[in-house]
Amino acid sequence: QAQLVESGGGLVQAGGSLRLSCAASGLSFSSYHMGWFRQAPGKEREFVAVISWRGGSILYKDSVKGRFTISRDNAENTVYLQMNTLKVEDTAVYYCAAGGRFSTATPEYNYWGQGTQVTVSS
């Protein structure tokens, strides 16, 4: 059974950094494109970043470009999201997801983690 487990969330001051990890099991990790999404209270889940199955293609939400970096280690079945210069508006639950299409759309993703809370204080 496929499972994605996020870790690395927490409370950080504005301007700080966090590194999220997402460990995958029960699926052929290197065959999936991996995405990060986030959901703030009262808002819909939104795309943050996606990396293709071999890491050759990457897309970011405009507001995180230059601050966030997505990467993956297929040998370790893990995808990462390095978040620098965090802003209060980055506060959300962050989810990783695995999908068969390289996409920014949530319906294209087959498997989802349980999420990890990121809180940025001013």
Side-chain angles (χ1 to χ4, degrees), residues 49-72:
V50 58
I51 186 168
S52 60
W53 57 296
R54 285 185 175 180
S57 296
I58 289 174
L59 286 176
Y60 294 102
K61 176 181 175 63
D62 284 347
S63 64
V64 308
K65 285 180 182 177
R67 300 188 298 120
F68 290 11
T69 302
I70 189 172
S71 61
R72 67 187 296 161

Side-chain angles (χ1 to χ4, degrees), residues 14-57:
S17 298
L18 284 174
R19 188 193 195 203
L20 304 184
S21 299
C22 171
S25 60
L27 74 164
S28 182
F29 179 77
S30 60
S31 298
Y32 285 89
H33 306 300
M34 297 299 298
W36 284 98
F37 294 77
R38 68 187 182 187
Q39 188 167 17
K43 296 187 177 181
E44 293 190 352
R45 192 169 299 187
E46 65 176 7
F47 164 78
V48 175
V50 58
I51 186 168
S52 60
W53 57 296
R54 285 185 175 180
S57 296

Side-chain angles (χ1 to χ4, degrees), residues 29-121:
F29 179 77
S30 60
S31 298
Y32 285 89
H33 306 300
M34 297 299 298
W36 284 98
F37 294 77
R38 68 187 182 187
Q39 188 167 17
K43 296 187 177 181
E44 293 190 352
R45 192 169 299 187
E46 65 176 7
F47 164 78
V48 175
V50 58
I51 186 168
S52 60
W53 57 296
R54 285 185 175 180
S57 296
I58 289 174
L59 286 176
Y60 294 102
K61 176 181 175 63
D62 284 347
S63 64
V64 308
K65 285 180 182 177
R67 300 188 298 120
F68 290 11
T69 302
I70 189 172
S71 61
R72 67 187 296 161
D73 184 339
N74 286 348
E76 296 293 330
N77 290 352
T78 302
V79 62
Y80 304 97
L81 186 68
Q82 177 67 43
M83 306 186 295
N84 298 329
T85 319
L86 281 160
K87 302 178 180 180
V88 172
E89 51 264 41
D90 294 318
T91 295
V93 177
Y94 283 70
Y95 300 87
C96 69
R101 290 189 175 186
F102 185 75
S103 174
T104 64
T106 55
E108 297 290 351
Y109 288 81
N110 308 99
Y111 304 106
W112 291 83
Q114 82 290 347
T116 185
Q117 176 71 47
V118 171
T119 303
V120 185
S121 64

